[in-house]
Amino acid sequence: MFPYTSEDMTEMEYFHAYFDEQFMRHLVAETNRYAGHLIEAGILQASRMIRWKDTTVPELYVFFALCLLQKLSEKQVIQDYWNKEAAVPSPVFNKYMSRDRFLLLLLRCLHFENLENFDRNDRLWRV
């Protein structure tokens, strides 16, 4: 059952209804596990992955906040949010997370399910 029923919910209450502490801990565990898997497999030896440090729940909340914030000032490419010389700079992005860390989480390691649970017969197993 949905935890909030009031029509006057705050945006933060609504967000936390879907991204509660338990869910975020699960995302952190799976993201860190997947990053470890990529590093152990040697898939990313020459990339920024060699500097990987485990993520945390607070960092993942910042990551999602920055994802949501991108819709307020759309840029051509993701890297432009960290570009200090752009026509319309977005200094808040650099303030809370480096570009490389964001891209590492977003494009490489954000993971929702353990790869050990892979089921070839279930096309939606990750969901």
Side-chain angles (χ1 to χ4, degrees), residues 18 21 29 78:
Y18 289 98
E21 186 77 20
I78 291 175

Side-chain angles (χ1 to χ4, degrees), residues 63 67 70 82 97-106:
F63 172 78
C67 287
Q70 288 177 0
W82 284 266
M97 186 176 290
S98 73
R99 182 199 66 215
D100 287 350
R101 183 65 175 169
F102 184 86
L103 294 175
L104 207 57
L105 279 170
L106 172 67

Side-chain angles (χ1 to χ4, degrees), residues 46-98:
S47 77
R48 293 181 291 252
M49 280 297 296
I50 60 172
R51 297 189 317 247
W52 174 264
K53 67 178 178 101
D54 283 351
T55 190
T56 62
V57 170
E59 183 181 44
L60 215 49
Y61 275 128
V62 169
F63 172 78
F64 284 124
L66 293 176
C67 287
L68 294 171
L69 190 58
Q70 288 177 0
K71 290 304 290 178
L72 296 178
S73 68
E74 294 187 39
K75 309 274 186 182
Q76 292 290 331
V77 293
I78 291 175
Q79 290 86 345
D80 285 349
Y81 292 100
W82 284 266
N83 187 347
K84 294 176 184 175
E85 298 175 15
V88 181
S90 305
V92 70
F93 288 86
N94 276 322
K95 181 177 178 180
Y96 290 102
M97 186 176 290
S98 73

Side-chain angles (χ1 to χ4, degrees), residues 9-16:
M9 288 173 49
T10 68
E11 290 83 0
M12 190 57 77
E13 288 173 327
Y14 192 76
F15 179 81
H16 278 285

